[in-house]
Amino acid sequence: MNDAAETGPAIRPIVIGNWKMNGLAAALAESDAVAAHLREAGASPADAMICPPATLVAAMAARLSGGPVGVGGQDCHPEQAGAHTGDISAAMLADAGASAVIVGHSERRADHGESDALVRAKANAAFAHGLTPIICVGETLDERDGGETLNVVGRQLAGSVPDEAGGAAFIVAYEPVWAIGSGRTPTSAQIEDVHGFMRRQLGARFGAAGEAVQLLYGGSVKPANAAEILALENVNGALVGGASLKASDFLEIIAAA
Ligand code: PEP
Protein backbone atom coordinates (compact mmCIF):
# COMPACT_ATOMS: atom_id res chain seq x y z
CA MET A 1 0.00 0.00 0.00
CA ASN A 2 1.02 3.58 0.43
CA ASP A 3 4.45 4.51 1.68
CA ALA A 4 3.88 5.90 5.15
CA ALA A 5 7.00 8.07 5.00
CA GLU A 6 5.64 9.95 2.00
CA THR A 7 1.92 9.91 2.55
CA GLY A 8 1.39 10.19 6.30
CA PRO A 9 0.30 7.47 8.68
CA ALA A 10 -0.03 3.88 7.49
CA ILE A 11 -3.73 3.29 7.01
CA ARG A 12 -5.10 -0.24 7.03
CA PRO A 13 -7.24 -0.73 3.93
CA ILE A 14 -10.84 -1.84 4.05
CA VAL A 15 -12.97 -3.32 1.29
CA ILE A 16 -16.70 -2.79 1.78
CA GLY A 17 -19.41 -4.52 -0.22
CA ASN A 18 -22.62 -2.63 -0.90
CA TRP A 19 -25.28 -5.16 -1.86
CA LYS A 20 -27.82 -2.38 -2.56
CA MET A 21 -31.35 -3.79 -3.04
CA ASN A 22 -30.06 -7.28 -3.75
CA GLY A 23 -30.13 -10.41 -1.66
CA LEU A 24 -32.70 -12.75 -0.14
CA ALA A 25 -31.91 -15.01 2.80
CA ALA A 26 -30.15 -17.49 0.51
CA ALA A 27 -27.53 -14.83 -0.26
CA LEU A 28 -26.20 -15.22 3.28
CA ALA A 29 -24.32 -18.21 1.87
CA GLU A 30 -22.12 -15.69 0.00
CA SER A 31 -21.24 -13.70 3.12
CA ASP A 32 -20.65 -16.95 4.99
CA ALA A 33 -18.26 -18.01 2.22
CA VAL A 34 -16.34 -14.73 2.39
CA ALA A 35 -15.96 -15.06 6.16
CA ALA A 36 -14.99 -18.74 6.01
CA HIS A 37 -12.34 -18.09 3.38
CA LEU A 38 -10.81 -15.15 5.28
CA ARG A 39 -10.85 -17.12 8.52
CA GLU A 40 -9.05 -20.04 6.89
CA ALA A 41 -6.54 -17.78 5.15
CA GLY A 42 -5.51 -16.16 8.44
CA ALA A 43 -4.08 -12.62 8.32
CA SER A 44 -5.83 -10.63 5.62
CA PRO A 45 -4.27 -7.69 3.75
CA ALA A 46 -7.40 -5.65 4.34
CA ASP A 47 -10.41 -5.45 6.58
CA ALA A 48 -13.70 -6.52 5.04
CA MET A 49 -17.29 -5.50 5.53
CA ILE A 50 -20.61 -6.17 3.81
CA CYS A 51 -23.59 -3.82 3.80
CA PRO A 52 -26.60 -6.00 2.92
CA PRO A 53 -30.18 -4.75 2.58
CA ALA A 54 -31.76 -3.90 5.93
CA THR A 55 -33.73 -7.14 5.93
CA LEU A 56 -30.51 -9.16 6.21
CA VAL A 57 -28.48 -7.05 8.64
CA ALA A 58 -29.47 -8.89 11.83
CA ALA A 59 -29.13 -12.37 10.36
CA MET A 60 -25.80 -11.60 8.69
CA ALA A 61 -24.42 -9.94 11.81
CA ALA A 62 -25.40 -12.94 13.93
CA ARG A 63 -23.73 -15.37 11.52
CA LEU A 64 -20.55 -13.32 11.10
CA SER A 65 -20.23 -12.16 14.70
CA GLY A 66 -16.64 -12.20 15.99
CA GLY A 67 -15.26 -13.08 12.56
CA PRO A 68 -13.24 -11.25 9.93
CA VAL A 69 -16.16 -9.61 8.11
CA GLY A 70 -18.02 -6.64 9.59
CA VAL A 71 -21.62 -5.79 8.77
CA GLY A 72 -23.00 -2.36 7.93
CA GLY A 73 -26.26 -0.73 6.93
CA GLN A 74 -26.85 1.12 3.67
CA ASP A 75 -28.63 4.17 5.10
CA CYS A 76 -30.11 5.48 8.31
CA HIS A 77 -32.62 8.12 9.35
CA PRO A 78 -31.19 11.06 11.32
CA GLU A 79 -33.63 10.49 14.16
CA GLN A 80 -33.50 7.65 16.63
CA ALA A 81 -37.18 6.66 16.42
CA GLY A 82 -40.54 8.06 15.42
CA ALA A 83 -43.20 8.34 12.73
CA HIS A 84 -41.06 7.68 9.65
CA THR A 85 -42.67 4.76 7.87
CA GLY A 86 -40.20 2.60 6.03
CA ASP A 87 -37.09 4.20 7.50
CA ILE A 88 -34.52 2.63 9.75
CA SER A 89 -32.50 4.37 12.45
CA ALA A 90 -28.86 4.14 13.40
CA ALA A 91 -29.96 2.81 16.77
CA MET A 92 -31.82 -0.02 15.04
CA LEU A 93 -28.81 -0.89 12.89
CA ALA A 94 -26.55 -0.96 15.94
CA ASP A 95 -29.12 -3.09 17.76
CA ALA A 96 -29.14 -5.50 14.83
CA GLY A 97 -25.37 -5.93 15.03
CA ALA A 98 -24.09 -3.45 12.44
CA SER A 99 -20.89 -1.54 13.12
CA ALA A 100 -21.11 0.97 10.27
CA VAL A 101 -23.56 2.60 7.89
CA ILE A 102 -23.28 4.09 4.40
CA VAL A 103 -24.65 7.64 4.22
CA GLY A 104 -25.01 9.92 1.22
CA HIS A 105 -24.68 7.25 -1.46
CA SER A 106 -25.33 8.92 -4.82
CA GLU A 107 -28.34 6.66 -5.40
CA ARG A 108 -29.91 8.07 -2.25
CA ARG A 109 -28.86 11.61 -3.08
CA ALA A 110 -30.50 11.20 -6.52
CA ASP A 111 -33.49 8.92 -5.79
CA HIS A 112 -34.44 10.55 -2.48
CA GLY A 113 -33.18 14.09 -2.97
CA GLU A 114 -30.77 13.87 -0.04
CA SER A 115 -28.86 17.08 0.66
CA ASP A 116 -25.44 17.46 2.26
CA ALA A 117 -27.16 18.74 5.41
CA LEU A 118 -29.26 15.59 5.64
CA VAL A 119 -26.25 13.37 5.02
CA ARG A 120 -24.40 15.23 7.79
CA ALA A 121 -27.33 14.66 10.16
CA LYS A 122 -27.30 10.96 9.28
CA ALA A 123 -23.56 10.77 9.95
CA ASN A 124 -24.14 12.39 13.33
CA ALA A 125 -26.86 9.84 14.08
CA ALA A 126 -24.35 7.11 13.25
CA PHE A 127 -21.81 8.60 15.67
CA ALA A 128 -24.46 8.87 18.37
CA HIS A 129 -25.11 5.15 18.17
CA GLY A 130 -21.52 3.95 17.85
CA LEU A 131 -21.61 3.28 14.12
CA THR A 132 -18.86 4.33 11.70
CA PRO A 133 -20.40 6.44 8.95
CA ILE A 134 -19.18 5.69 5.42
CA ILE A 135 -19.78 9.09 3.84
CA CYS A 136 -20.10 9.04 0.04
CA VAL A 137 -19.27 11.88 -2.33
CA GLY A 138 -18.83 12.09 -6.09
CA GLU A 139 -19.54 14.09 -9.21
CA THR A 140 -21.89 13.43 -12.12
CA LEU A 141 -20.59 13.10 -15.66
CA ASP A 142 -21.81 16.61 -16.53
CA GLU A 143 -19.96 17.99 -13.54
CA ARG A 144 -16.76 16.18 -14.52
CA ASP A 145 -17.06 17.29 -18.14
CA GLY A 146 -17.66 20.84 -16.89
CA GLY A 147 -14.42 20.79 -14.89
CA GLU A 148 -16.38 20.92 -11.62
CA THR A 149 -15.18 17.68 -10.01
CA LEU A 150 -13.07 19.13 -7.19
CA ASN A 151 -15.61 21.89 -6.48
CA VAL A 152 -18.40 19.33 -6.17
CA VAL A 153 -16.40 16.88 -4.08
CA GLY A 154 -15.07 19.69 -1.89
CA ARG A 155 -18.56 21.06 -1.32
CA GLN A 156 -20.03 17.63 -0.55
CA LEU A 157 -17.19 16.81 1.81
CA ALA A 158 -17.48 20.12 3.65
CA GLY A 159 -21.26 19.81 3.91
CA SER A 160 -21.63 16.10 4.60
CA VAL A 161 -18.87 15.44 7.13
CA PRO A 162 -19.91 16.73 10.57
CA ASP A 163 -17.58 18.75 12.77
CA GLU A 164 -17.98 15.98 15.35
CA ALA A 165 -16.08 13.70 12.95
CA GLY A 166 -12.79 15.11 14.29
CA GLY A 167 -13.18 12.99 17.38
CA ALA A 168 -14.63 9.79 15.95
CA ALA A 169 -13.89 7.21 13.29
CA PHE A 170 -15.39 7.78 9.88
CA ILE A 171 -14.75 6.66 6.32
CA VAL A 172 -15.10 8.65 3.10
CA ALA A 173 -15.89 6.99 -0.23
CA TYR A 174 -15.24 8.84 -3.48
CA GLU A 175 -17.73 7.42 -5.97
CA PRO A 176 -18.01 9.25 -9.29
CA VAL A 177 -21.69 8.87 -10.18
CA TRP A 178 -20.85 8.03 -13.79
CA ALA A 179 -18.62 5.14 -12.71
CA ILE A 180 -21.20 3.38 -10.54
CA GLY A 181 -22.53 0.23 -12.14
CA SER A 182 -21.39 1.48 -15.56
CA GLY A 183 -18.21 -0.52 -16.10
CA ARG A 184 -16.37 2.80 -16.57
CA THR A 185 -13.71 3.95 -14.14
CA PRO A 186 -11.71 7.17 -13.92
CA THR A 187 -8.04 7.01 -14.85
CA SER A 188 -5.57 6.37 -12.05
CA ALA A 189 -4.46 10.00 -12.29
CA GLN A 190 -8.05 11.21 -11.92
CA ILE A 191 -8.59 9.04 -8.83
CA GLU A 192 -5.31 10.19 -7.25
CA ASP A 193 -6.19 13.79 -8.01
CA VAL A 194 -9.51 13.58 -6.15
CA HIS A 195 -8.16 11.48 -3.28
CA GLY A 196 -5.20 13.82 -2.77
CA PHE A 197 -7.62 16.74 -2.73
CA MET A 198 -9.85 15.01 -0.15
CA ARG A 199 -6.83 14.14 2.01
CA ARG A 200 -5.67 17.77 2.02
CA GLN A 201 -9.18 19.05 2.80
CA LEU A 202 -9.69 16.60 5.67
CA GLY A 203 -6.18 17.21 6.98
CA ALA A 204 -6.74 20.96 6.98
CA ARG A 205 -10.04 20.54 8.80
CA PHE A 206 -9.28 17.75 11.26
CA GLY A 207 -5.46 17.65 11.52
CA ALA A 208 -3.98 14.22 12.34
CA ALA A 209 -7.46 12.67 12.47
CA GLY A 210 -8.09 13.84 8.90
CA GLU A 211 -4.74 12.42 7.79
CA ALA A 212 -5.79 9.01 9.11
CA VAL A 213 -9.26 8.75 7.54
CA GLN A 214 -9.73 5.76 5.25
CA LEU A 215 -10.47 7.14 1.77
CA LEU A 216 -12.19 4.52 -0.38
CA TYR A 217 -12.69 4.55 -4.12
CA GLY A 218 -15.99 3.18 -5.45
CA GLY A 219 -17.40 2.73 -8.95
CA SER A 220 -17.07 -0.40 -11.10
CA VAL A 221 -14.31 -1.93 -8.97
CA LYS A 222 -13.87 -5.56 -10.00
CA PRO A 223 -11.21 -8.24 -9.72
CA ALA A 224 -9.59 -7.12 -12.98
CA ASN A 225 -8.95 -3.51 -11.93
CA ALA A 226 -8.79 -3.77 -8.12
CA ALA A 227 -5.02 -4.16 -7.75
CA GLU A 228 -4.28 -1.07 -9.83
CA ILE A 229 -6.86 1.09 -8.05
CA LEU A 230 -6.02 -0.10 -4.55
CA ALA A 231 -2.32 0.66 -5.05
CA LEU A 232 -2.97 4.34 -5.77
CA GLU A 233 -1.80 7.04 -3.38
CA ASN A 234 -4.42 7.97 -0.78
CA VAL A 235 -6.68 5.08 -1.80
CA ASN A 236 -7.22 3.07 1.38
CA GLY A 237 -9.75 0.58 0.13
CA ALA A 238 -12.82 0.23 -2.02
CA LEU A 239 -16.58 0.42 -1.86
CA VAL A 240 -17.82 -2.31 -4.15
CA GLY A 241 -21.32 -2.76 -5.51
CA GLY A 242 -21.97 -5.41 -8.18
CA ALA A 243 -18.73 -7.32 -7.66
CA SER A 244 -19.46 -7.78 -3.95
CA LEU A 245 -22.46 -10.01 -4.59
CA LYS A 246 -20.37 -13.08 -5.44
CA ALA A 247 -18.00 -14.28 -2.73
CA SER A 248 -15.29 -15.28 -5.20
CA ASP A 249 -15.15 -11.83 -6.86
CA PHE A 250 -15.28 -10.00 -3.55
CA LEU A 251 -12.48 -12.16 -2.14
CA GLU A 252 -10.31 -11.42 -5.17
CA ILE A 253 -10.77 -7.70 -4.56
CA ILE A 254 -9.88 -8.08 -0.88
CA ALA A 255 -6.78 -10.06 -1.86
CA ALA A 256 -5.79 -7.29 -4.29
CA ALA A 257 -5.54 -4.85 -1.38
C1 PEP B 1 -21.70 1.50 -5.34
O1 PEP B 1 -22.85 1.68 -5.68
O2 PEP B 1 -21.34 1.82 -4.20
C2 PEP B 1 -20.79 0.91 -6.31
C3 PEP B 1 -19.53 1.17 -6.16
O3 PEP B 1 -21.34 0.15 -7.31
P1 PEP B 1 -20.56 -0.66 -8.46
O4 PEP B 1 -19.34 -1.27 -7.84
O5 PEP B 1 -21.53 -1.67 -8.94
O6 PEP B 1 -20.18 0.35 -9.50
Side-chain angles (χ1 to χ4, degrees):
M1 262 321 279
N2 300 334
D3 180 350
E6 286 177 10
T7 61
I11 300 175
R12 183 163 165 81
I14 183 165
V15 179
I16 301 177
N18 172 15
W19 282 11
K20 310 192 186 194
M21 199 174 72
N22 296 293
L24 304 178
L28 294 171
E30 298 296 325
S31 42
D32 287 348
V34 172
H37 181 95
L38 292 178
R39 207 177 290 114
E40 270 165 36
S44 168
D47 289 331
M49 178 181 289
I50 296 175
C51 300
T55 48
L56 295 183
V57 167
M60 188 183 287
R63 290 159 78 129
L64 303 187
S65 173
V69 183
V71 177
Q74 295 179 11
D75 179 51
C76 66
H77 194 279
E79 289 174 30
Q80 179 174 336
H84 303 288
T85 302
D87 280 316
I88 181 165
S89 72
M92 291 168 177
L93 287 170
D95 188 50
S99 59
V101 60
I102 298 170
V103 294
H105 191 283
S106 63
E107 286 155 12
R108 294 214 54 96
R109 289 180 187 262
D111 296 355
H112 301 271
E114 295 194 0
S115 65
D116 288 329
L118 180 59
V119 175
R120 187 171 66 240
K122 291 180 176 204
N124 267 328
F127 287 140
H129 295 283
L131 300 179
T132 300
I134 303 156
I135 302 170
C136 300
V137 298
E139 82 287 1
T140 63
L141 192 54
D142 278 352
E143 289 163 343
R144 170 151 298 266
D145 289 344
E148 287 298 310
T149 299
L150 297 187
N151 287 341
V152 171
V153 170
R155 192 177 63 235
Q156 290 179 337
L157 210 51
S160 303
V161 177
D163 291 335
E164 290 75 358
F170 68 105
I171 295 172
V172 170
Y174 167 56
E175 298 206 305
V177 178
W178 51 275
I180 294 179
S182 66
R184 298 179 58 189
T185 52
T187 64
S188 295
Q190 287 171 328
I191 295 173
E192 284 192 332
D193 192 31
V194 176
H195 278 241
F197 170 78
M198 296 195 301
R199 176 69 68 212
R200 288 190 295 279
Q201 183 166 328
L202 291 170
R205 185 167 169 200
F206 296 115
E211 299 290 346
V213 172
Q214 288 161 311
L215 301 181
L216 312 189
Y217 168 78
S220 295
V221 175
K222 41 187 184 282
N225 62 17
E228 183 179 343
I229 292 172
L230 290 167
L232 298 174
E233 194 171 349
N234 284 310
V235 174
N236 315 115
L239 183 55
V240 184
S244 70
L245 295 172
K246 255 182 61 190
S248 54
D249 288 348
F250 193 53
L251 283 164
E252 273 192 64
I253 294 170
I254 295 167

